[in-house]
Amino acid sequence: MSNLLVCALSLVLQSPQDPPTFVKKEIASQTSRIAATATCIVP
Amino acid sequence: MSDDKADNNPVPEEKAATVNQQAQQSSEPAPPQEEQADNKLTGLMADSPAPAPEAAPAKPTVNLEAEAMGAAEAAVAEGEKALVEAQGELQPQPTAKVAPKTKSNKRRELALRVLLAANVLAMIVVSMMPATGDQPGGNGGAAIVAAPDTLKPIPMSDPVNRAMQSAQNRDFAGAVGILEGYLNDSPLMHVAERLSVLLALSSYAARDQDFDKSRKYAQEVQSLEQSHHLPEDLVNMAEAALASGDQESLRRTWARFLLQQRQIPSWLYQHVAQAYLQLGDSYRSDADQAAEAARLIELKAATVRLRAEALPGGK
């Protein structure tokens, strides 16, 4: 998991408000990229 | 020929005489017919020409036949009379038999009606009577009445209820003291109950102007909310959120799950890819909706701007 995604997820959990749209798009692209690889299953 | 027979056989004459006597005896109830027969015989004798001396013995044969005919007619008349009498006797019997049947049916119907009315009256009386414990039906009523009492498992002596009562009396310090004592006395309290007690403590402390204590309990609430979720709990929570359509809760749950994916057991690895996909899909749909809404706003703004620019030009 990339550092960017970790930061984004941490911000999501810390902030009571929804993240802005560009953050959502970035998280969606990152998660899709990670999910598309088989390495994401191995911790 | 008949004369010869009559001469040669005197016995039939005697038989005919006996038959005539019997016919006379049997025709006693119908003397007019016998008289008519005698009249017929006398008429025949009168109409007939003067008998010759040789034809004198033929008189008894004619009389016998006529008497036999008369006796037969009398017997037929007797039979008809007997039939008429028998019919007269038989006709009232069926009516007499039917009448008792109808009477008995009416009596039964009346008895049934009376019984039905008595049953209805008894039901009305029983329903109007107050239920007592001695009666069999009274136990059910008592059980039904006692059921609402059993729906109050928590007495007013419960610390939470006492704290609420104190808070209603605006004794927030007392309410905080009661709940703090309750927390200290029950260390094995269920997580959900502990969460609610901590929330109440934070609220009552804030109402009591003790903001430091209120913040402390609020932080305990937050840490409790974030600490007790195991990865399998997070998976279950995510599934529940997905089933209920709560996308925000789903995203937060999967985010928490992904941030601690290095600690998850191996049998939950399959949910890592699922968490990535669902998290990305949820954010993507939200982002698409937000982008669509922003585009619509821009289009409306552009439309308004273009109209504003076109109207002065048209004029």
Side-chain angles (χ1 to χ4, degrees):
Chain A
M1 190 162 57
S2 65
N3 293 329
L4 180 61
L5 185 57
V6 171
C7 291
L9 294 179
S10 299
L11 284 173
V12 164
L13 290 178
Q14 291 293 326
S15 173
Q17 296 177 350
D18 260 2
T21 304
F22 72 92
V23 175
K24 289 182 179 177
K25 284 183 179 178
E26 188 60 29
I27 292 173
S29 65
Q30 290 288 330
T31 52
S32 298
R33 185 178 61 80
I34 294 173
T37 62
T39 57
C40 70
I41 299 175
V42 180
Chain B
M1 293 293 285
S2 62
D3 292 342
D4 295 338
K5 285 180 182 176
D7 293 338
N8 296 331
N9 298 323
V11 179
E13 289 180 358
E14 293 176 0
K15 286 183 179 176
T18 56
V19 168
N20 193 10
Q21 288 176 358
Q22 288 175 356
Q24 285 178 356
Q25 289 175 358
S26 63
S27 64
E28 282 177 3
Q33 291 180 355
E34 192 176 359
E35 289 175 4
Q36 287 177 358
D38 293 338
N39 292 334
K40 285 178 181 177
L41 289 173
T42 52
L44 286 171
M45 291 175 67
D47 293 337
S48 62
E54 295 85 4
K59 284 182 182 175
T61 59
V62 174
N63 288 333
L64 284 174
E65 288 179 357
E67 285 177 356
M69 290 291 291
E73 289 176 355
V76 169
E78 282 291 324
E80 288 177 354
K81 277 187 178 181
L83 282 173
V84 170
E85 288 178 357
Q87 287 177 356
E89 289 179 356
L90 288 174
Q91 281 177 357
Q93 287 178 358
T95 56
K97 286 180 181 175
V98 169
K101 284 184 180 177
T102 55
K103 286 181 179 178
S104 62
N105 286 335
K106 285 182 179 178
R107 286 177 183 173
R108 286 179 184 174
E109 189 177 352
L110 277 173
L112 286 174
R113 285 182 179 179
V114 170
L115 282 174
L116 280 173
N119 277 332
V120 170
L121 285 174
M123 290 170 67
I124 292 170
V125 169
V126 168
S127 62
M128 291 178 67
M129 283 176 65
T132 59
D134 297 287
Q135 293 179 351
N139 292 330
I144 290 169
V145 170
D149 293 334
T150 59
L151 294 176
K152 297 176 181 176
I154 301 174
M156 283 306 292
S157 60
D158 183 73
V160 177
N161 289 334
R162 283 192 282 116
M164 290 173 66
Q165 190 70 30
S166 298
Q168 284 183 355
N169 297 330
R170 298 197 174 274
D171 183 11
F172 297 110
V176 169
I178 290 170
L179 290 180
E180 282 178 345
Y182 183 46
L183 274 180
N184 294 329
D185 293 341
S186 48
L188 299 178
M189 189 186 296
H190 192 268
V191 175
E193 189 177 4
R194 180 178 291 274
L195 198 63
S196 65
V197 170
L198 287 173
L199 280 171
L201 272 172
S202 176
S203 174
Y204 293 155
R207 298 292 298 272
D208 196 29
Q209 306 292 325
D210 192 353
F211 296 110
D212 292 338
K213 193 177 279 186
S214 174
R215 190 173 300 156
K216 185 188 80 172
Y217 287 124
Q219 288 175 353
E220 284 189 18
V221 168
Q222 190 174 1
S223 63
L224 187 64
E225 278 184 335
Q226 294 179 356
S227 65
H228 77 282
H229 295 303
L230 297 173
E232 51 266 31
D233 295 333
L234 291 173
V235 170
N236 294 330
M237 288 169 62
E239 289 176 352
L242 182 64
S244 63
D246 188 0
Q247 292 294 319
E248 186 179 354
S249 177
L250 177 72
R251 287 194 298 267
R252 287 182 176 276
T253 305
W254 280 138
R256 193 171 295 154
F257 179 78
L258 289 175
L259 285 175
Q260 58 180 346
Q261 64 176 297
R262 291 184 183 278
Q263 290 82 31
I264 62 173
S266 59
W267 58 276
L268 287 176
Y269 286 170
Q270 56 178 341
H271 295 291
V272 175
Q274 182 186 1
Y276 276 119
L277 289 173
Q278 289 187 358
L279 186 67
D281 290 344
S282 178
Y283 274 126
R284 189 177 297 108
S285 64
D286 263 20
D288 291 345
Q289 288 178 2
E292 185 69 18
R295 194 175 62 85
L296 286 174
I297 291 172
E298 286 180 0
L299 282 174
K300 285 182 181 177
T303 305
V304 171
R305 183 168 48 82
L306 287 173
R307 282 183 181 173
E309 289 176 1
L311 284 175
K315 288 179 180 177

